Amino acid sequence: MENLNINTYHTTDEINPEVWDVLLLRRKLDLLLRTGKLLMESAADTNRIERNMKRVAAFMNIPEEKLHIDIRWTMIMVNVSDEQHSFSKFQKCENHAINMTMISQISKLSFKATEENYSLDDYEKELEKIIHTPRNYTPYLVAIGAGFACGGFCKLFGSDWIAFLFASICAFIGFRTRAYCVKTGINVYMSIGIAAFVSTCLAYASSFSGLSSTPYHPLLACALFIVPGVPLINFVDDMIDNHLLVGITRAANTIMMIGAMTFGIAFAMRILIVNDLNINQKINELSIVSHDSYLVYAFAAAIAAMGFSMIFNVPKRLLWIVATGGIIAVCTRNFVNLELGYGPVIGSFMGSFTVSLIAVKATHWFHVPNHVLTIPSVIPMIPGVLMYRSLLGFIELHGVIGEVTNAFSNGVDSALIILCISLGVAIPNIVARRNNNGIKNKPLCAS
């Protein structure tokens, strides 16, 4: 029984009906698990994975009351059972990488299969097409996008355009370094640390050029392509949706990534600039108040948002949409923070909340999941200046109580801003999803 494969039989006459039903169910569960695996490995939130799998199960005529799905970071389990029989299958999830196009295509397929009454062969054929679809951008194009994204951050921090260029070049080289490390089999967290180290060293070297009036700004932005925005926002989503185990795992992964990035930056600074008190002072003196006009900040935000869209493999047709979202997010944050005086924490929340609220409608216009539009749009609001102030504060501690308080305060402020960005993205999406469940999700068919 274990070695039977439904694909080796062409008619039900060759085997008895009971065995045929078992083989058919196994094939359905296999396709269902492959669907969930692709979504998990593409960095979909757990609620989306579950909803898509249930929608596919409905198309396959697997009754909801007999279906049990357990989603983990590294494993997805499916069980179909009744009073007499129980069938279970497991699928490992190993190659985690952000792929917004994959998430969008699978979501569309789950609806299309039901609406157009696909056969299992049709569904498997379409799933294979999605699996073998090449990414929208070549590796070097993604690296260029990552470079300009960090350059956009640098400009948002108040740099001049020469520093913008230096930050872009350093980030490009760092991004390619990480890709090379991963390709050669180096641990993913070690690869992040190496990339952050290389980017920081190059940014420090650029400060000696004498070409920029803001020579230390590239240090703040050169490694921000590593910022785990998607895992962090998915963690908040999962915790709010009560998917605690997956959420905690995503949080641990986020902490490991940030820790590896911090180690790479701190190691570089300890080696290169441990005695350069001027750099520490300059970074601590940087103002987080806007230095340029809203037009300049809008342009920088658009560049950063599009750069991260390329890293996340957002469809090319949506780049201008994401750029617009980045502009709305940053300008809203600056307006609430500076014009209304509510501070950067509330400003960041309102910026991400506004973008997510608009995306709730925009998902129907452009036929993509909410996170495809919102996450790249809000990444430009990451508080890089505060993060680096906290990092440098802890590196340069000399046992003075005021130093500890200052470093800790900057760390708490940056953590609050990042949390508010995540909540601002998650809340409108969750509320809209719950309100629309009765409209968008068809009930599972009975067997």
Side-chain angles (χ1 to χ4, degrees), residues 87-152:
F87 299 91
S88 299
K89 290 202 76 172
F90 303 81
Q91 178 67 62
K92 291 189 71 174
C93 304
E94 299 174 303
N95 302 313
H96 294 273
I98 302 169
N99 191 337
M100 296 293 184
T101 295
M102 179 83 74
I103 295 171
S104 179
Q105 289 177 337
I106 291 177
S107 182
K108 289 178 183 177
L109 177 60
S110 67
F111 281 108
K112 192 175 180 181
T114 303
E115 293 167 356
E116 300 186 9
N117 197 24
Y118 274 19
S119 66
L120 289 181
D121 288 336
D122 292 334
Y123 183 84
E124 185 171 24
K125 183 179 178 181
E126 291 299 317
L127 197 62
E128 285 294 326
K129 283 184 182 178
I130 293 173
I131 293 171
H132 293 100
T133 299
R135 292 181 73 92
N136 299 316
Y137 314 96
T138 63
Y140 275 94
L141 193 58
V142 174
I144 292 171
F148 280 117
C150 292

Side-chain angles (χ1 to χ4, degrees), residues 81-376:
S81 59
D82 54 23
E83 295 78 10
Q84 296 178 328
H85 304 95
S86 180
F87 299 91
S88 299
K89 290 202 76 172
F90 303 81
Q91 178 67 62
K92 291 189 71 174
C93 304
E94 299 174 303
N95 302 313
H96 294 273
I98 302 169
N99 191 337
M100 296 293 184
T101 295
M102 179 83 74
I103 295 171
S104 179
Q105 289 177 337
I106 291 177
S107 182
K108 289 178 183 177
L109 177 60
S110 67
F111 281 108
K112 192 175 180 181
T114 303
E115 293 167 356
E116 300 186 9
N117 197 24
Y118 274 19
S119 66
L120 289 181
D121 288 336
D122 292 334
Y123 183 84
E124 185 171 24
K125 183 179 178 181
E126 291 299 317
L127 197 62
E128 285 294 326
K129 283 184 182 178
I130 293 173
I131 293 171
H132 293 100
T133 299
R135 292 181 73 92
N136 299 316
Y137 314 96
T138 63
Y140 275 94
L141 193 58
V142 174
I144 292 171
F148 280 117
C150 292
F153 267 117
C154 195
K155 190 60 185 171
L156 287 170
F157 299 157
S159 75
D160 58 22
W161 289 107
I162 298 296
F164 164 90
L165 182 60
F166 283 147
S168 300
I169 294 171
C170 296
F172 170 83
I173 296 173
F175 190 90
R176 289 303 304 161
T177 299
R178 184 180 69 169
Y180 177 79
C181 290
V182 171
K183 186 178 180 180
T184 55
I186 297 176
N187 176 275
V188 62
Y189 301 115
M190 188 177 294
S191 300
I192 288 172
I194 293 170
F197 175 82
V198 170
S199 297
T200 303
C201 289
L202 292 173
Y204 176 66
S206 73
S207 66
F208 293 99
S209 68
L211 300 175
S212 172
S213 60
T214 55
Y216 302 126
H217 281 70
L219 283 167
L220 303 174
C222 63
L224 290 181
F225 61 86
I226 300 169
V227 170
V230 176
L232 183 60
I233 291 172
N234 282 341
F235 149 68
V236 175
D237 254 353
D238 287 346
M239 299 302 284
I240 293 174
D241 281 324
N242 207 33
H243 296 289
L244 302 183
L245 189 58
V246 185
I248 291 170
T249 307
R250 291 189 199 268
N253 180 53
T254 300
I255 292 170
M256 288 293 290
M257 293 176 71
I258 293 175
M261 172 184 168
T262 301
F263 177 82
I265 295 169
F267 189 58
M269 289 186 171
R270 177 60 68 181
I271 290 175
L272 299 174
I273 56 178
V274 63
N275 295 318
D276 196 341
L277 300 179
N278 186 45
I279 290 181
N280 195 357
Q281 181 182 350
K282 288 287 185 182
I283 291 178
N284 282 316
E285 289 176 355
L286 287 178
S287 173
I288 58 175
V289 177
S290 297
H291 302 266
D292 296 302
S293 66
Y294 275 83
L295 182 62
V296 172
Y297 274 84
F299 183 69
I303 292 175
M306 287 192 292
F308 275 98
S309 296
M310 295 169 73
I311 297 174
F312 300 158
N313 198 38
V314 171
K316 293 178 181 178
R317 66 185 178 89
L318 299 176
L319 286 180
W320 71 274
I321 303 296
V322 174
T324 304
I327 292 170
I328 293 171
V330 169
C331 290
T332 301
R333 179 199 63 182
N334 287 354
F335 180 78
V336 174
N337 177 20
L338 304 174
E339 310 299 333
L340 301 183
Y342 286 105
V345 175
I346 300 300
S348 298
F349 174 80
M350 290 306 302
S352 59
F353 183 86
T354 302
V355 168
S356 187
L357 203 61
I358 294 171
V360 167
K361 280 293 184 182
T363 53
H364 302 293
W365 304 335
F366 302 105
H367 308 290
V368 291
N370 181 283
H371 282 180
V372 176
L373 301 177
T374 53
I375 294 180

